[in-house]
Amino acid sequence: MNNFSQQTAIITGAGTGIGFAIAKALVQQGANVLLNDYDEALAHKAAFAIQQEGERTGQCEACFGDASDVQFIQFMVDTAVNRFGSVDIAIANAGITIFGDIFTTTPESFQKIVDLNLRGSFFLAQMAARQMRAQQRGGSVLFMSSVVGHQAHPGLPVYSMTKAGLEMLAKQLVIDFSPLGITVNAIAPGATLTERTLDDPTYIPIWSRITPMGRPATVEDITNAALFLIAPASRHITGQSLVVDGGWTSISPPPV
Ligand SMILES: NC(=O)c1ccc[n+]([C@@H]2O[C@H](COP(=O)([O-])OP(=O)(O)OC[C@H]3O[C@@H](n4cnc5c(N)ncnc54)[C@H](O)[C@@H]3O)[C@@H](O)[C@H]2O)c1
C-alpha cells in the first residue's frame, strides 16, 4: 500500500510506543517520516529499525530534541522541509504522565506536563500548519489525547486536564485550518500496551478484566485509528476525537 506516498510526516515522541508504531506504518505506506524523540540514542535506533524494514516505500530520519521547546519545533519543521521537501502530516504524540493528586502536585510537575502535552502540541500544530499553508495543498494535524480527557482517573488531574484541552484545541483549530484544507483531529487511546505500560506486571490482567473487549489496546490498534484520521480519504473529517479503548469509557462500574 502506498496511501501516503509524496507525503512528509513529523511525529514527536516516536522512539518507542504508539508514536514508533505510527511512524513504522506510515513509512511502510510510502510517507517520509521525521521521527522525533528527546532520547538521542533511542531516536536513532528507532529510525534505523524502520529503515531496515523490507516492505517500506518511504524514508525515516531521526530528529532528536525536546518536543516542548518551541525553537526546536520550528527546527523540526525546517528539517523536514530541507530533508523531504514538505510537511503534510504533523502528529503531536509526545506526552508525559506524572501521577499525583491535587494535594501532591508541585508547580514544577504541573509545568512539565503542560509544557509538553499542551504547549508542544499547540506550537507543533501552529508551525506545521504555517508550512502547510505555504505549500497550498492542505494537510493533517493529529493530537494524541487519552480516555482520561473524558473520564476522571485517580492521580491524573493535570494530565487529564491537558488531554481534554487538546480535544478542545482540535475543535478550535477547525476555524483557522479548514479554509486551508488542513484537518485537525485527536485520538483518545485507552490502556495501551507499550514498553512503558508493560513495566507494570499487573497492567495486562487488570485492564483485560475491566475492558469490555477483554484486553488492553495494542499499538497497532491505535495506529490503525491514526492512519484512518490522517489518510487523504478522511479529508472531510475534522475537529473530532476518536476514542480507542475497547469500550472502557462506554460503561460505568456495575453495582456489585
Ligand atoms: N500508552 C498508553 O496506555 C496511552 C494511553 C492514552 C494516551 N497515551 C498517549 O499517547 C502518547 C504516546 O504514549 P506512549 O505510551 O506510546 O509513549 P511513552 O510515554 O512511552 O513515550 C514515548 C516516547 O516519548 C519520548 N518523549 C518523552 N518526552 C519527550 C519530549 N519532551 N520530547 C520528545 N520526546 C519525548 C520518550 O523518550 C519515549 O521514547 C502520549 O501522548 C500519551 O499521553 C498513551
Side-chain angles (χ1 to χ4, degrees):
M1 286 198 293
N2 282 312
N3 293 342
F4 295 95
S5 58
Q6 312 294 325
Q7 297 203 39
T8 301
I10 296 172
I11 311 180
T12 60
T16 182
I18 293 168
F20 175 75
I22 297 172
K24 189 166 89 171
L26 274 175
V27 172
Q28 279 170 349
Q29 295 192 29
N32 295 320
V33 171
L34 193 74
L35 182 155
N36 159 257
D37 203 286
Y38 76 162
D39 179 327
E40 183 174 11
L42 191 57
H44 286 291
K45 189 176 152 205
F48 181 77
I50 290 173
Q51 283 290 98
Q52 298 308 301
E53 291 278 324
E55 301 292 300
R56 73 178 168 84
T57 48
Q59 303 287 332
C60 187
E61 189 160 302
C63 187
F64 104 91
D66 183 351
S68 68
D69 177 332
V70 173
Q71 280 183 338
F72 175 70
I73 294 168
Q74 187 60 55
F75 174 77
M76 282 194 287
V77 171
D78 295 342
T79 303
V81 173
N82 290 338
R83 181 67 184 82
F84 299 123
S86 64
V87 174
D88 307 285
I89 298 165
I91 304 181
N93 171 71
I96 190 169
T97 315
I98 301 175
F99 281 89
D101 67 19
I102 182 85
F103 299 109
T104 56
T105 300
T106 62
E108 292 73 26
S109 74
F110 179 97
Q111 198 60 48
K112 210 171 164 185
I113 300 169
V114 171
D115 279 354
L116 182 58
N117 298 12
L118 281 181
R119 190 174 63 161
S121 301
F122 184 99
F123 285 102
L124 179 63
Q126 180 202 67
M127 291 169 178
R130 279 185 183 145
Q131 175 60 30
M132 293 172 194
R133 181 175 62 184
Q135 293 165 190
Q136 298 189 333
R137 59 173 202 228
S140 57
V141 172
L142 188 67
F143 296 128
M144 201 55 71
S145 177
S146 165
V147 287
V148 307
H150 300 240
Q151 187 153 314
H153 195 75
L156 294 174
V158 187
Y159 178 81
S160 63
M161 179 182 73
T162 62
K163 296 301 187 178
L166 285 176
E167 297 196 15
M168 187 60 220
L169 180 60
K171 290 185 192 177
Q172 180 66 33
L173 295 183
V174 164
I175 296 170
D176 295 326
F177 287 1
S178 298
L180 306 170
I182 301 169
T183 64
V184 52
N185 294 291
I187 292 188
T192 305
L193 294 176
T194 62
E195 289 85 340
R196 177 173 60 84
T197 56
L198 275 170
D199 275 350
D200 174 1
T202 66
Y203 197 82
I204 293 181
I206 288 178
W207 286 101
S208 299
R209 182 168 50 78
I210 65 176
T211 302
M213 291 300 276
R215 62 171 179 83
T218 64
V219 289
E220 287 75 25
D221 291 321
I222 310 304
T223 295
N224 291 338
L227 265 54
F228 165 70
L229 286 174
I230 60 177
S234 299
R235 62 186 172 272
H236 212 54
I237 301 175
T238 192
Q240 303 303 305
S241 297
L242 182 54
V243 174
V244 186
D245 71 346
W248 185 63
T249 51
S250 296
I251 58 169
S252 295
V256 287

Short mmCIF file of all heavy atoms in Angstrom, two decimals, residues 140-194:
data_model
loop_
_atom_site.label_atom_id
_atom_site.label_comp_id
_atom_site.label_asym_id
_atom_site.label_seq_id
_atom_site.Cartn_x
_atom_site.Cartn_y
_atom_site.Cartn_z
N SER A 140 -2.69 17.44 7.40
CA SER A 140 -3.45 16.99 8.57
C SER A 140 -2.61 17.08 9.83
O SER A 140 -1.39 16.87 9.81
CB SER A 140 -3.99 15.57 8.37
OG SER A 140 -2.94 14.70 8.10
N VAL A 141 -3.30 17.42 10.91
CA VAL A 141 -2.69 17.53 12.24
C VAL A 141 -3.44 16.55 13.14
O VAL A 141 -4.67 16.45 13.08
CB VAL A 141 -2.82 18.97 12.79
CG1 VAL A 141 -2.36 19.04 14.24
CG2 VAL A 141 -2.03 19.94 11.92
N LEU A 142 -2.68 15.82 13.95
CA LEU A 142 -3.29 14.85 14.86
C LEU A 142 -2.72 15.03 16.26
O LEU A 142 -1.50 15.06 16.43
CB LEU A 142 -3.00 13.43 14.35
CG LEU A 142 -3.72 12.30 15.08
CD1 LEU A 142 -5.24 12.36 14.84
CD2 LEU A 142 -3.19 10.94 14.61
N PHE A 143 -3.61 15.17 17.24
CA PHE A 143 -3.19 15.26 18.64
C PHE A 143 -3.40 13.91 19.32
O PHE A 143 -4.39 13.23 19.04
CB PHE A 143 -4.02 16.31 19.39
CG PHE A 143 -3.84 17.71 18.89
CD1 PHE A 143 -4.94 18.49 18.54
CD2 PHE A 143 -2.57 18.26 18.77
CE1 PHE A 143 -4.79 19.79 18.08
CE2 PHE A 143 -2.40 19.57 18.30
CZ PHE A 143 -3.51 20.32 17.96
N MET A 144 -2.49 13.58 20.24
CA MET A 144 -2.66 12.34 21.00
C MET A 144 -3.25 12.68 22.36
O MET A 144 -2.57 13.17 23.25
CB MET A 144 -1.32 11.60 21.13
CG MET A 144 -1.48 10.14 21.44
SD MET A 144 -2.53 9.20 20.29
CE MET A 144 -1.50 9.15 18.81
N SER A 145 -4.55 12.43 22.48
CA SER A 145 -5.25 12.67 23.73
C SER A 145 -5.23 11.40 24.57
O SER A 145 -4.28 10.61 24.51
CB SER A 145 -6.69 13.12 23.40
OG SER A 145 -7.44 13.30 24.58
N SER A 146 -6.27 11.15 25.32
CA SER A 146 -6.38 9.96 26.17
C SER A 146 -7.82 9.84 26.61
O SER A 146 -8.54 10.87 26.68
CB SER A 146 -5.48 10.11 27.40
OG SER A 146 -5.83 9.14 28.38
N VAL A 147 -8.23 8.63 26.98
CA VAL A 147 -9.58 8.49 27.55
C VAL A 147 -9.74 9.32 28.81
O VAL A 147 -10.85 9.72 29.15
CB VAL A 147 -9.92 7.02 27.86
CG1 VAL A 147 -10.18 6.23 26.60
CG2 VAL A 147 -8.85 6.36 28.72
N VAL A 148 -8.62 9.62 29.50
CA VAL A 148 -8.77 10.40 30.73
C VAL A 148 -9.01 11.88 30.43
O VAL A 148 -9.23 12.67 31.34
CB VAL A 148 -7.59 10.21 31.72
CG1 VAL A 148 -7.36 8.75 32.01
CG2 VAL A 148 -6.32 10.88 31.22
N GLY A 149 -9.03 12.24 29.17
CA GLY A 149 -9.53 13.56 28.78
C GLY A 149 -11.05 13.60 28.81
O GLY A 149 -11.67 14.66 28.69
N HIS A 150 -11.67 12.41 28.99
CA HIS A 150 -13.14 12.32 29.03
C HIS A 150 -13.63 11.87 30.40
O HIS A 150 -14.74 12.17 30.79
CB HIS A 150 -13.66 11.25 28.05
CG HIS A 150 -13.31 11.52 26.64
ND1 HIS A 150 -14.24 11.67 25.65
CD2 HIS A 150 -12.11 11.65 26.02
CE1 HIS A 150 -13.64 11.90 24.49
NE2 HIS A 150 -12.34 11.89 24.70
N GLN A 151 -12.81 11.06 31.07
CA GLN A 151 -13.26 10.36 32.27
C GLN A 151 -12.18 10.47 33.34
O GLN A 151 -11.02 10.13 33.07
CB GLN A 151 -13.48 8.89 31.91
CG GLN A 151 -14.10 8.08 33.00
CD GLN A 151 -14.87 6.90 32.40
OE1 GLN A 151 -15.63 7.06 31.44
NE2 GLN A 151 -14.67 5.73 32.95
N ALA A 152 -12.54 10.96 34.51
CA ALA A 152 -11.55 11.16 35.58
C ALA A 152 -10.89 9.85 35.99
O ALA A 152 -11.53 8.79 35.98
CB ALA A 152 -12.22 11.80 36.79
N HIS A 153 -9.61 9.95 36.33
CA HIS A 153 -8.83 8.77 36.70
C HIS A 153 -7.96 9.17 37.89
O HIS A 153 -7.36 10.25 37.87
CB HIS A 153 -7.96 8.35 35.51
CG HIS A 153 -7.39 6.98 35.63
ND1 HIS A 153 -8.15 5.84 35.45
CD2 HIS A 153 -6.15 6.56 35.92
CE1 HIS A 153 -7.38 4.78 35.62
NE2 HIS A 153 -6.16 5.19 35.90
N PRO A 154 -7.89 8.33 38.93
CA PRO A 154 -7.13 8.74 40.13
C PRO A 154 -5.69 9.12 39.81
O PRO A 154 -5.01 8.43 39.05
CB PRO A 154 -7.17 7.48 41.01
CG PRO A 154 -8.33 6.68 40.52
CD PRO A 154 -8.47 6.99 39.06
N GLY A 155 -5.23 10.22 40.38
CA GLY A 155 -3.82 10.60 40.29
C GLY A 155 -3.42 11.32 39.02
O GLY A 155 -2.23 11.55 38.79
N LEU A 156 -4.39 11.72 38.19
CA LEU A 156 -4.02 12.35 36.91
C LEU A 156 -4.72 13.70 36.68
O LEU A 156 -5.16 13.98 35.57
CB LEU A 156 -4.33 11.40 35.75
CG LEU A 156 -3.50 10.11 35.69
CD1 LEU A 156 -4.01 9.20 34.56
CD2 LEU A 156 -2.03 10.43 35.47
N PRO A 157 -4.80 14.59 37.70
CA PRO A 157 -5.56 15.82 37.47
C PRO A 157 -4.96 16.72 36.40
O PRO A 157 -5.69 17.32 35.62
CB PRO A 157 -5.55 16.51 38.85
CG PRO A 157 -4.38 15.93 39.57
CD PRO A 157 -4.25 14.53 39.07
N VAL A 158 -3.63 16.80 36.34
CA VAL A 158 -3.02 17.70 35.36
C VAL A 158 -3.02 17.05 33.98
O VAL A 158 -3.41 17.65 32.97
CB VAL A 158 -1.57 18.08 35.77
CG1 VAL A 158 -1.03 19.15 34.83
CG2 VAL A 158 -1.53 18.56 37.21
N TYR A 159 -2.61 15.79 33.93
CA TYR A 159 -2.58 15.05 32.66
C TYR A 159 -3.96 15.04 32.00
O TYR A 159 -4.09 15.35 30.82
CB TYR A 159 -2.10 13.63 32.95
CG TYR A 159 -2.03 12.70 31.76
CD1 TYR A 159 -0.95 12.73 30.88
CD2 TYR A 159 -3.04 11.76 31.55
CE1 TYR A 159 -0.89 11.85 29.81
CE2 TYR A 159 -2.98 10.88 30.47
CZ TYR A 159 -1.90 10.92 29.61
OH TYR A 159 -1.84 10.05 28.55
N SER A 160 -4.99 14.73 32.78
CA SER A 160 -6.34 14.65 32.19
C SER A 160 -6.79 16.01 31.69
O SER A 160 -7.42 16.12 30.63
CB SER A 160 -7.34 14.07 33.19
OG SER A 160 -7.46 14.93 34.29
N MET A 161 -6.44 17.06 32.43
CA MET A 161 -6.79 18.43 32.01
C MET A 161 -6.13 18.76 30.67
O MET A 161 -6.76 19.35 29.78
CB MET A 161 -6.31 19.38 33.11
CG MET A 161 -6.56 20.84 32.86
SD MET A 161 -5.87 21.83 34.22
CE MET A 161 -4.12 21.71 33.92
N THR A 162 -4.85 18.36 30.51
CA THR A 162 -4.18 18.68 29.25
C THR A 162 -4.80 17.90 28.09
O THR A 162 -4.90 18.41 26.98
CB THR A 162 -2.67 18.36 29.30
OG1 THR A 162 -2.44 16.97 29.53
CG2 THR A 162 -1.97 19.19 30.36
N LYS A 163 -5.20 16.66 28.35
CA LYS A 163 -5.76 15.85 27.26
C LYS A 163 -7.14 16.38 26.84
O LYS A 163 -7.45 16.44 25.65
CB LYS A 163 -5.82 14.37 27.67
CG LYS A 163 -4.44 13.74 27.92
CD LYS A 163 -3.55 13.81 26.68
CE LYS A 163 -2.26 13.04 26.86
NZ LYS A 163 -1.39 13.05 25.67
N ALA A 164 -7.95 16.79 27.82
CA ALA A 164 -9.23 17.42 27.47
C ALA A 164 -8.97 18.71 26.68
O ALA A 164 -9.69 19.03 25.73
CB ALA A 164 -10.02 17.72 28.74
N GLY A 165 -7.91 19.43 27.08
CA GLY A 165 -7.55 20.67 26.38
C GLY A 165 -7.19 20.42 24.93
O GLY A 165 -7.56 21.19 24.04
N LEU A 166 -6.49 19.33 24.67
CA LEU A 166 -6.11 19.02 23.28
C LEU A 166 -7.34 18.75 22.42
O LEU A 166 -7.38 19.12 21.24
CB LEU A 166 -5.21 17.77 23.25
CG LEU A 166 -3.76 17.97 23.70
CD1 LEU A 166 -3.03 16.64 23.71
CD2 LEU A 166 -3.05 18.98 22.80
N GLU A 167 -8.33 18.10 23.00
CA GLU A 167 -9.54 17.80 22.21
C GLU A 167 -10.30 19.08 21.89
O GLU A 167 -10.85 19.23 20.79
CB GLU A 167 -10.39 16.77 22.94
CG GLU A 167 -9.63 15.45 23.09
CD GLU A 167 -10.48 14.27 23.46
OE1 GLU A 167 -11.71 14.33 23.35
OE2 GLU A 167 -9.88 13.24 23.85
N MET A 168 -10.32 20.02 22.83
CA MET A 168 -10.95 21.32 22.55
C MET A 168 -10.14 22.09 21.51
O MET A 168 -10.69 22.75 20.64
CB MET A 168 -11.07 22.12 23.85
CG MET A 168 -11.86 23.41 23.68
SD MET A 168 -13.55 23.09 23.12
CE MET A 168 -13.76 24.41 21.94
N LEU A 169 -8.81 21.96 21.62
CA LEU A 169 -7.95 22.64 20.64
C LEU A 169 -8.24 22.13 19.23
O LEU A 169 -8.28 22.92 18.27
CB LEU A 169 -6.48 22.43 21.02
CG LEU A 169 -5.44 23.09 20.11
CD1 LEU A 169 -5.61 24.61 20.06
CD2 LEU A 169 -4.02 22.73 20.57
N ALA A 170 -8.45 20.83 19.10
CA ALA A 170 -8.76 20.28 17.76
C ALA A 170 -10.02 20.93 17.20
O ALA A 170 -10.07 21.29 16.02
CB ALA A 170 -8.92 18.76 17.85
N LYS A 171 -11.04 21.12 18.05
CA LYS A 171 -12.26 21.79 17.56
C LYS A 171 -11.98 23.24 17.20
O LYS A 171 -12.41 23.76 16.17
CB LYS A 171 -13.34 21.76 18.65
CG LYS A 171 -13.92 20.40 18.92
CD LYS A 171 -15.05 20.54 19.93
CE LYS A 171 -15.47 19.18 20.45
NZ LYS A 171 -16.50 19.26 21.46
N GLN A 172 -11.25 23.92 18.09
CA GLN A 172 -10.98 25.34 17.88
C GLN A 172 -10.21 25.59 16.57
O GLN A 172 -10.51 26.53 15.84
CB GLN A 172 -10.16 25.86 19.08
CG GLN A 172 -9.80 27.32 19.02
CD GLN A 172 -11.00 28.24 19.11
OE1 GLN A 172 -11.99 27.94 19.78
NE2 GLN A 172 -10.92 29.38 18.42
N LEU A 173 -9.24 24.73 16.28
CA LEU A 173 -8.39 24.95 15.11
C LEU A 173 -9.12 24.70 13.79
O LEU A 173 -8.64 25.09 12.73
CB LEU A 173 -7.13 24.09 15.20
CG LEU A 173 -6.20 24.45 16.37
CD1 LEU A 173 -4.94 23.60 16.33
CD2 LEU A 173 -5.83 25.93 16.37
N VAL A 174 -10.29 24.06 13.88
CA VAL A 174 -11.12 23.90 12.68
C VAL A 174 -11.37 25.26 12.03
O VAL A 174 -11.38 25.39 10.80
CB VAL A 174 -12.45 23.20 13.05
CG1 VAL A 174 -13.47 23.36 11.94
CG2 VAL A 174 -12.20 21.73 13.35
N ILE A 175 -11.51 26.28 12.86
CA ILE A 175 -11.81 27.62 12.34
C ILE A 175 -10.66 28.12 11.46
O ILE A 175 -10.88 28.60 10.35
CB ILE A 175 -12.05 28.61 13.51
CG1 ILE A 175 -13.29 28.19 14.29
CG2 ILE A 175 -12.17 30.05 12.99
CD1 ILE A 175 -13.47 28.95 15.60
N ASP A 176 -9.43 27.98 11.95
CA ASP A 176 -8.28 28.52 11.22
C ASP A 176 -7.78 27.59 10.12
O ASP A 176 -7.23 28.05 9.11
CB ASP A 176 -7.12 28.78 12.20
CG ASP A 176 -7.47 29.87 13.21
OD1 ASP A 176 -8.18 30.81 12.83
OD2 ASP A 176 -7.04 29.76 14.37
N PHE A 177 -7.94 26.28 10.33
CA PHE A 177 -7.31 25.33 9.40
C PHE A 177 -8.22 24.95 8.22
O PHE A 177 -7.72 24.63 7.14
CB PHE A 177 -6.91 24.05 10.14
CG PHE A 177 -5.71 24.20 11.04
CD1 PHE A 177 -5.04 25.42 11.18
CD2 PHE A 177 -5.22 23.11 11.76
CE1 PHE A 177 -3.92 25.56 12.01
CE2 PHE A 177 -4.10 23.23 12.59
CZ PHE A 177 -3.46 24.46 12.71
N SER A 178 -9.53 24.94 8.42
CA SER A 178 -10.41 24.45 7.35
C SER A 178 -10.28 25.22 6.04
O SER A 178 -10.24 24.61 4.97
CB SER A 178 -11.87 24.43 7.83
OG SER A 178 -11.99 23.56 8.93
N PRO A 179 -10.20 26.56 6.10
CA PRO A 179 -10.05 27.28 4.81
C PRO A 179 -8.76 26.90 4.08
O PRO A 179 -8.63 27.17 2.88
CB PRO A 179 -10.02 28.75 5.24
CG PRO A 179 -10.64 28.78 6.59
CD PRO A 179 -10.30 27.48 7.24
N LEU A 180 -7.81 26.30 4.81
CA LEU A 180 -6.53 25.91 4.20
C LEU A 180 -6.53 24.44 3.77
O LEU A 180 -5.50 23.93 3.29
CB LEU A 180 -5.39 26.14 5.20
CG LEU A 180 -5.29 27.56 5.78
CD1 LEU A 180 -4.30 27.60 6.93
CD2 LEU A 180 -4.89 28.55 4.68
N GLY A 181 -7.65 23.76 3.99
CA GLY A 181 -7.72 22.33 3.63
C GLY A 181 -6.96 21.44 4.59
O GLY A 181 -6.58 20.31 4.25
N ILE A 182 -6.72 21.93 5.80
CA ILE A 182 -5.97 21.15 6.81
C ILE A 182 -6.98 20.57 7.81
O ILE A 182 -7.77 21.32 8.38
CB ILE A 182 -4.96 22.04 7.56
CG1 ILE A 182 -3.96 22.67 6.59
CG2 ILE A 182 -4.25 21.24 8.65
CD1 ILE A 182 -3.10 23.77 7.21
N THR A 183 -6.95 19.26 7.99
CA THR A 183 -7.80 18.65 9.01
C THR A 183 -7.05 18.60 10.34
O THR A 183 -5.82 18.56 10.37
CB THR A 183 -8.21 17.22 8.63
OG1 THR A 183 -7.06 16.39 8.57
CG2 THR A 183 -8.95 17.19 7.30
N VAL A 184 -7.81 18.60 11.43
CA VAL A 184 -7.20 18.52 12.76
C VAL A 184 -8.10 17.67 13.65
O VAL A 184 -9.27 17.97 13.84
CB VAL A 184 -6.92 19.93 13.35
CG1 VAL A 184 -8.13 20.83 13.31
CG2 VAL A 184 -6.35 19.83 14.76
N ASN A 185 -7.55 16.57 14.16
CA ASN A 185 -8.31 15.62 14.96
C ASN A 185 -7.48 15.14 16.14
O ASN A 185 -6.29 15.44 16.23
CB ASN A 185 -8.73 14.42 14.08
CG ASN A 185 -9.71 14.83 13.00
OD1 ASN A 185 -10.86 15.16 13.27
ND2 ASN A 185 -9.27 14.83 11.74
N ALA A 186 -8.13 14.36 17.00
CA ALA A 186 -7.43 13.78 18.15
C ALA A 186 -7.81 12.31 18.27
O ALA A 186 -8.91 11.90 17.88
CB ALA A 186 -7.81 14.52 19.43
N ILE A 187 -6.89 11.55 18.83
CA ILE A 187 -7.19 10.16 19.20
C ILE A 187 -7.11 10.08 20.71
O ILE A 187 -6.19 10.66 21.32
CB ILE A 187 -6.18 9.18 18.58
CG1 ILE A 187 -6.37 9.16 17.08
CG2 ILE A 187 -6.36 7.78 19.15
CD1 ILE A 187 -5.57 8.11 16.40
N ALA A 188 -8.06 9.38 21.31
CA ALA A 188 -8.05 9.19 22.76
C ALA A 188 -7.88 7.70 23.05
O ALA A 188 -8.87 6.96 23.15
CB ALA A 188 -9.35 9.72 23.36
N PRO A 189 -6.61 7.26 23.19
CA PRO A 189 -6.42 5.83 23.48
C PRO A 189 -6.81 5.52 24.92
O PRO A 189 -6.65 6.34 25.81
CB PRO A 189 -4.90 5.62 23.30
CG PRO A 189 -4.37 6.85 22.66
CD PRO A 189 -5.32 7.95 23.02
N GLY A 190 -7.30 4.30 25.11
CA GLY A 190 -7.43 3.76 26.47
C GLY A 190 -6.13 3.07 26.81
O GLY A 190 -5.08 3.35 26.22
N ALA A 191 -6.19 2.16 27.77
CA ALA A 191 -4.98 1.44 28.18
C ALA A 191 -4.36 0.74 26.98
O ALA A 191 -5.03 -0.01 26.28
CB ALA A 191 -5.35 0.41 29.24
N THR A 192 -3.08 1.04 26.74
CA THR A 192 -2.40 0.54 25.54
C THR A 192 -1.08 -0.10 25.93
O THR A 192 -0.31 0.48 26.71
CB THR A 192 -2.14 1.71 24.56
OG1 THR A 192 -3.39 2.36 24.30
CG2 THR A 192 -1.54 1.22 23.26
N LEU A 193 -0.82 -1.27 25.38
CA LEU A 193 0.43 -1.98 25.69
C LEU A 193 1.60 -1.33 24.97
O LEU A 193 1.66 -1.31 23.74
CB LEU A 193 0.32 -3.44 25.24
CG LEU A 193 -0.70 -4.28 25.98
CD1 LEU A 193 -0.77 -5.67 25.38
CD2 LEU A 193 -0.34 -4.36 27.46
N THR A 194 2.51 -0.76 25.75
CA THR A 194 3.74 -0.18 25.21
C THR A 194 4.88 -0.63 26.14
O THR A 194 4.62 -1.19 27.21
CB THR A 194 3.70 1.36 25.22
OG1 THR A 194 3.57 1.80 26.57
CG2 THR A 194 2.55 1.91 24.39
#
